[in-house]
Every structure is written in C-alpha cells, then in structure tokens.
Amino acid sequence: MIRGSVRRSQLVVPFGPGAMHVLSDGTSVVTAGLDHWFPTGKDRDREEYRIHEWRLEQHLGIDALYSPPDFRVWAEDEMNRKVRVPVLRFPVWGFCPSCRTLTRDRLHADRRPICDHHEGSRRKPAIAQVPFVAICERGHLQDFPWNEWVHRSAAPSYRSHVLSLRSSGGGTLSAQRVSCSCGESRSLEGVTSTTASRDNGSSTVLSEELEPGGPAYLCRGAAPWLGIEYVGEPCGSPLRGSLRAAANVYYPLLSSSIFVPEDGSSAADPKVMEALQDGTIVQARRQAAMFLGEGVTPSPDLLRKVAQGNAFILEGFTDPQIEAGLKALHDAETTGSSGSSPGGPVVAEDPADFRVTEYQALRDSIESSELVVRQPAADYGQPVAGAFTRVRLVEKLRETRVLWGFNRVFAESSYDRTSRKALLRRTPARPGSGWLPAYAVSGEGIYLELGTGALAPWEEQSGVLERTDLLTRRFARLAADRGLQQRELSPRFVLLHTLAHLLINQLTYECGYSSASLRERLYVSPGADGMAALLIYTAAGDSEGTLGGLVRMGQPGRLEGVLQNALAQAAWCSSDPVCIESPGQGPGSCNLAACHSCALLPETACEEYNRFLDRALVVGGLEQRDVGFFPAS
C-alpha cells in the first residue's frame, strides 16, 4: 500500500494541496485537495484542530483555520483515530527500469504497478515513475504528453503502440528520447523552454512545436490533486514541460499574522470574544440577525439554538459573559473597529493595512497568553539610541501561517486571490464552512522602529530617490513581462528591508541561530505618521527559538554591539567593488548593492524573495557616502 508520513506543518508548506513530494518508499504523490482532508463520522471532530486567529480569517475571507490532522493509532476518548490526509500517485506514467517500456497506470492506484513485458520472469520489476510532468501558469498539472510528443500530433491514434523512454547518458534533455513501436522517435530537447507564439506573444516549445504546422497544444485543465485528469473545457494556456522535482512546479501562497489580543478596554472576557468569533458562531449570529433585524443583538439562548450542533463552543460561559461579548462586538461593528462583521469578512489586499494592528500592539507593552511585549529595563547607548526611537523585546509571540493557494511556473502571478483559493478544492465550500489549512508556532523577537523625523530629510535626497526609482523601474519591467501588479518602492522600505537582512546575518554570528531560523517582518507605510519599523523574530515548531536567546541579544548593552558590527560588515563586502557598484543583480536585477556575500538570506527568512535590497542606502556607496542612512565613518 502507498503510505507515508510527513510533519503536520509540511502539509501546509511545502507539501500542501496540489504539491508533489516523494514518500519514504520512493513513490511520488500529490497531496489531495481540502475536500477530503477531514472525513465525516460520529468519531470525528475537526474542532480539535481549530486555530483561532480572527485577523487572518477576516483578511482571507474565510470562516475557520484548521491545522492538518495528526495520525493516531489509538486515543483515550476514541476521537479522531486514524485520520489521514489522502494523496494520489502522480505521475501516472512510469517506465520499467529494465526494458524502459513506458506504461500508464490509474490516478487512484494504491500499489506500485509491475511491468508486464517480462513474460516467463519469476520476478517482474516494479514500474518507476517518469521524472517529467507538464504545468501551466494558471496552476494546472498533468502528465507529460508522451504519445502526442513522439507522434507530433495533438490527437494521435496510438492503439496498441508501445512507448519506451531511453537515455543516451548525457546530462541534457536532448539525451532523453521517447520511442514508439511504430518507428517514431523524438528527444525531449526544449520541452522546458519558452518561445514566441504564432501571434507574436509568449508561449512554450511544448505547446508550439509539439505538432509542427498544426494547432498549438494547450493545457487541458487537469487537476490530479482534485481527482480531475481533464475538465470539460480546456484551460487554453501554454503547457510547459518540467522535472517533477523542479522548484517552479509549486509555489505556495502564504499569509501570516502575529496574534494580537482583542482590545483590552473591552469589558468582555477574551476567551468569550474568541468563541464568539468562531466561524460557525459568526454564521449563527448572521442567521439570528435575519430573524431579529439588523442592529438587534441576539440573546445567548437564541444564539445557542441557532448554532445547534456547534453550541458546544459556548459551553462554560455564563449568559452575562456572552451578553457582554455580544455587546462588545456590536459596538466594534458599529464604530467600524476590528472584529468580525456579520455582513461578511473584510478582505484587505494591502499588507501594510493588515499589519497596522500588529504595529500598534508591538509599540506598547503587552502581557497576554500569546503575546508578551516588554520595554527594555534601561536606556540604549549609541548607535541604537541615535538610530531607533523605539525598541521592544517580544518575549513571546504566536505566528499563524495559512496556505490560501499556489502558483506554478512563476512564484507570483496576476491571478486574484479567489482563483488561487479555488485551486485547493474540487467543489466550492458552502457558506459558513469555508476553511484553509494553517499551523501556529511560538517564538520571540526584537522590534525596532526608526523615527520618521530623521527619515524625512533623508528620503528627499536626490541620490536616494534615484537608486529607489531604479529598483522601481526594474521591477516594473519584470511585472510587465509576468503580468504582475506594479509597485512603487519607497526609500524607507528598501532601507528597512536591507537593514533587517544585515541584522539577521549578524545575529547568526552573535547568538548562534541559523539564518533560516530567523525571519523578518516589515511595517512600512508612507508619510510623517506612517510606519517605519521591523520585527526580527524566530518562530519554529521545535525548541529552537523559544529559549530566549534572541531577546537576550536585544537587551541594552548587547544590541548596540550587534548593530555596530552589522553596519561595519556592510561597509565593505568581500565582492566589492563589484557589488557596491553593481547596476543591478539578483532576481530580476531588482537588487543594487546586495549579494550572497553581504545581504541575501535564505528564502524562508525574506518576505520579498531576496529582492529590493541596496546596501548603499544603509551605509553609503563608494562615491555617494551621503545616500546611506547610517553613513560609514
């Protein structure tokens, strides 16, 4: 049987719905869609896996967040036993390691197939899955069209034909050749490449040259992770061949948030507020409003009756506690402040708008079960005191990460959030039952805030604006080629982003964390009253990051040395003067003075795919020392 195990967090990223991975027995599988993650039954209760994060639920327009289920052979209460996340064997095409014959199996096969072309053999070899698949920019995935490619036809007649896949021993695609028993043969050269389409647009070799002189071979809309091999209407996008383990096959789309408790001025119990903002209870409030009319707060008894089977969420709370919570929510909705809106979730597309709540919370001291922020016990010396107007030590935080879709071919796409979320399900979720996979991790961090008063004159310098405008133009060309949304980069954004990278690289030496264990979180918005802060934090599922080492380095007497050493290291890169004088480098040439020797981080640590970095805006350039916010002496 095809079975395997992965960590629960890996089923969110990198092995979420639609992602391929290899099990311990060597079988390549694709994770199934969310429709079948939680089987129903009297011994099933997915509320056990619920993650309460009201801000993300509103931001993504969903009703609930659930962590992937854990597999239990036994449980004391016999609840949620042997819950599995289903996978499907993919690619379905395979080849015999002995005779190299290509065969096609079923998508829902639960065992490794055996080659049938070894008559008389006592032990027939198992079929190995092919290393190639085909993908399109809209997110579809299908088997490589072996018959179509070798016969040079979008609709070949290949009954009783036997295909084989052989290699001449070279390391390129031209060394891979598929042959047919009818005599046709063709190498795989160019199947992963792009080319011009017949209308002078952008296309792929697989779509344009599969049938020379014939119609283009376009995507058929296959979604094997949803059990769909072909849909009724073709997708119509160009198909691109790819190795099944290539990075461009699956780019997860994640949203994350630092948990922020409800407004402490509310008289309602925070636990009651959390329960009332449960997706099913919010739906019950909406139904009650249909009976009572808008603006009328339902009674606790009515709310329990409407919630029916989900009323257990309110168990343990008295009627006065629920009434206080309902009143607090009603007041928040009336004044337009944060809280669940009975009219529907509020979706904020701008990350800066979504992070305002976090920014306001991290600036003050907080003591809660999920977020502890403290003011340093003493004053900082130079250069910290002169650079930052506010420093906070985040002794405890909880970060929730949610998978809301994925891309293929390119990490970013022009498709909206609704279309990306639709890739996770075969059938749309019913109203009130929409959910996404997520996981929560705990950690610690250091919050640093620059003064906008000192930023304002620096941002107006012509040299600073020229370098930032150059990065904006570079990204504009990249966005035009890939159909992405245009962005206007600000000097403070590039400064804070680069400074975060430099500090993370220095902290790896100062406190022993690996650079992949630390993350950046930027709080940037324009204007004199805008945000200009960064959070360096660690949030991991294991013990690393919860031992207080990062907070210790943020204390007075230690942070000064970290900042001073980071700026000193940034003043001269081992690749200078090539790096500092670079007119453009990195992904899409969207970096200036930033390379692997000075400012780049692992992809998991950076919010911007290692783009929009310029060391010169931090410490100055060789010829323009004044463009640096922290000019080196």
Side-chain angles (χ1 to χ4, degrees):
M1 297 291 290
I2 299 175
R3 292 180 181 176
S5 60
V6 297
R7 295 179 63 176
R8 297 173 68 186
S9 61
Q10 289 181 317
L11 288 171
V12 178
V13 58
F15 304 140
M20 289 189 295
H21 52 108
V22 180
L23 303 179
S24 58
D25 65 351
T27 303
S28 174
V29 297
V30 60
T31 306
L34 300 180
D35 307 71
H36 304 290
W37 271 39
F38 289 100
T40 58
K42 63 180 182 180
D43 58 345
R44 299 287 185 260
D45 181 14
R46 68 180 183 184
E47 284 300 316
E48 178 183 351
Y49 306 105
R50 178 74 184 272
I51 297 176
H52 294 278
E53 178 50 271
W54 59 277
R55 294 175 57 244
L56 270 179
E57 291 172 4
Q58 291 182 358
H59 180 64
L60 296 173
I62 56 174
D63 299 288
L65 301 172
Y66 294 104
S67 64
D70 58 331
F71 181 76
R72 307 170 187 173
V73 178
W74 62 273
E76 293 182 0
D77 56 359
E78 299 297 319
M79 185 64 68
N80 292 327
R81 294 179 63 248
K82 297 185 178 181
V83 179
R84 299 182 177 92
V85 174
V87 296
L88 297 99
R89 190 175 185 274
F90 187 84
V92 298
W93 278 90
F95 65 94
C96 175
S98 177
C99 66
R100 310 298 295 185
T101 301
L102 279 169
T103 59
R104 190 177 189 279
D105 199 32
R106 297 177 296 108
L107 180 63
H108 297 82
D110 58 356
R111 298 181 183 274
R112 300 183 67 180
I114 304 300
C115 181
D116 294 327
H117 294 82
H118 293 264
E119 296 183 3
S121 176
R122 296 183 61 184
R123 186 172 183 177
K124 298 181 180 180
I127 296 295
Q129 290 164 283
V130 294
F132 301 99
V133 294
I135 57 179
C136 85
E137 293 184 18
R138 295 186 63 181
H140 297 121
L141 170 71
Q142 68 176 64
D143 277 279
F144 187 85
W146 300 103
N147 274 302
E148 290 84 351
W149 180 257
V150 70
H151 291 104
R152 296 174 172 80
S153 173
S157 176
Y158 47 83
R159 284 189 177 182
S160 72
H161 289 200
V162 179
L163 304 181
S164 61
L165 179 64
R166 301 181 183 276
S167 173
S168 61
T172 63
L173 289 175
S174 59
Q176 304 291 324
R177 180 169 292 273
V178 57
S179 304
C180 182
S181 58
C182 68
E184 294 288 348
S185 180
R186 192 176 187 181
S187 75
L188 300 184
E189 183 176 7
V191 295
T192 63
S193 304
T194 59
T195 187
S197 64
R198 299 166 198 191
D199 57 359
N200 296 324
S202 177
S203 187
T204 63
V205 171
L206 181 58
S207 286
E208 298 296 324
E209 299 182 16
L210 180 139
E211 183 177 351
Y217 184 77
L218 302 177
C219 175
R220 302 185 180 184
W225 67 97
L226 303 178
I228 304 173
E229 294 192 67
Y230 300 108
V231 298
E233 297 182 3
C235 162
S237 300
L239 267 178
R240 182 192 301 250
S242 177
L243 289 170
R244 74 184 189 209
N248 67 345
V249 172
Y250 188 84
Y251 292 105
L253 298 175
L254 297 174
S255 287
S256 67
S257 72
I258 306 298
F259 179 81
V260 176
E262 288 287 346
D263 186 2
S265 62
S266 173
D269 188 330
K271 295 182 179 179
V272 176
M273 297 294 293
E274 185 177 357
L276 291 176
Q277 292 182 96
D278 181 276
T280 55
I281 300 301
V282 170
Q283 184 66 17
R285 290 173 55 212
R286 296 173 188 166
Q287 295 176 1
M290 296 174 59
F291 295 104
L292 301 175
E294 294 294 337
V296 180
T297 303
S299 65
D301 287 339
L302 177 60
L303 188 60
R304 292 189 183 97
K305 291 179 181 178
V306 176
Q308 296 180 354
N310 295 305
F312 68 91
I313 298 174
L314 302 175
E315 289 181 0
F317 304 126
T318 64
D319 287 357
Q321 286 178 314
I322 297 176
E323 289 174 353
L326 290 171
K327 183 179 184 302
L329 287 174
H330 175 74
D331 293 342
E333 292 156 6
T334 303
T335 58
S337 62
S338 62
S340 295
S341 171
V346 179
V347 180
E349 295 291 343
D350 189 351
D353 294 340
F354 175 68
R355 295 188 179 183
V356 168
T357 305
E358 294 177 18
Y359 170 74
Q360 294 172 344
L362 293 173
R363 302 184 78 200
D364 298 322
S365 297
I366 294 178
E367 186 83 29
S368 69
S369 59
E370 302 289 354
L371 181 64
V372 177
V373 182
R374 301 189 191 280
Q375 186 173 350
D379 295 334
Y380 289 95
Q382 297 297 335
V384 173
F388 303 109
T389 58
R390 186 178 272 106
V391 179
R392 293 291 182 266
L393 304 178
V394 186
E395 296 185 358
K396 182 178 181 181
L397 61 83
R398 190 193 79 180
E399 183 192 24
T400 303
R401 301 167 190 164
V402 183
L403 176 75
W404 54 268
F406 59 85
N407 287 323
R408 303 196 194 275
V409 181
F410 298 115
E412 299 172 281
S413 71
S414 59
Y415 299 104
D416 59 19
R417 182 176 292 165
T418 301
S419 66
R420 299 301 88 186
K421 286 166 60 177
L423 292 174
L424 302 178
R425 294 178 176 274
R426 181 164 183 165
T427 56
R430 298 189 306 273
S433 61
W435 65 275
L436 290 174
Y439 70 100
V441 290
S442 298
E444 57 180 321
I446 306 172
Y447 171 84
L448 305 169
E449 182 178 327
L450 293 175
T452 54
L455 276 174
W458 174 80
E459 289 178 309
E460 296 174 357
Q461 295 183 35
S462 59
V464 173
L465 293 174
E466 287 175 4
R467 298 185 72 88
T468 308
D469 290 343
L470 178 58
L471 290 178
T472 300
R473 293 195 301 271
R474 292 274 172 77
F475 181 74
R477 288 196 294 268
L478 179 67
D481 293 339
R482 298 186 180 180
L484 305 179
Q485 186 177 0
Q486 297 289 341
R487 294 180 59 175
E488 188 71 27
L489 301 176
S490 65
R492 73 172 64 180
F493 174 82
V494 180
L495 168 65
L496 283 164
H497 188 204
T498 310
L499 180 60
H501 278 230
L502 298 176
L503 287 173
I504 288 175
N505 279 330
Q506 186 60 35
L507 284 166
T508 61
Y509 296 105
E510 300 281 351
C511 61
Y513 287 110
S514 66
S515 55
S517 298
L518 302 179
R519 295 171 180 262
E520 66 174 358
R521 195 166 183 87
L522 305 177
Y523 301 93
V524 183
S525 61
D529 297 328
M531 299 185 293
L534 62 92
L535 173 68
I536 297 175
Y537 69 103
T538 174
D542 52 18
S543 61
E544 184 175 13
T546 61
L547 302 179
L550 187 59
V551 169
R552 185 168 179 262
M553 295 308 302
Q555 293 175 350
R558 298 182 183 273
L559 185 60
E560 295 91 340
V562 173
L563 178 60
Q564 188 171 1
N565 292 337
L567 296 177
Q569 292 291 333
W572 185 259
C573 169
S574 60
S575 296
D576 281 343
V578 175
C579 177
I580 196 69
E581 295 179 346
S582 173
Q585 56 183 323
S589 295
C590 289
N591 291 332
L592 293 178
C595 68
H596 284 285
S597 300
C598 59
L600 299 192
L601 292 176
E603 293 289 345
T604 55
C606 178
E607 293 191 317
E608 298 288 348
Y609 304 102
N610 274 325
R611 295 182 310 208
F612 315 135
L613 299 167
D614 185 11
R615 185 164 43 92
L617 293 185
V618 180
V619 295
L622 292 181
E623 302 295 335
Q624 296 177 303
R625 309 303 297 180
D626 59 334
V627 300
F629 188 79
F630 304 89
S633 56

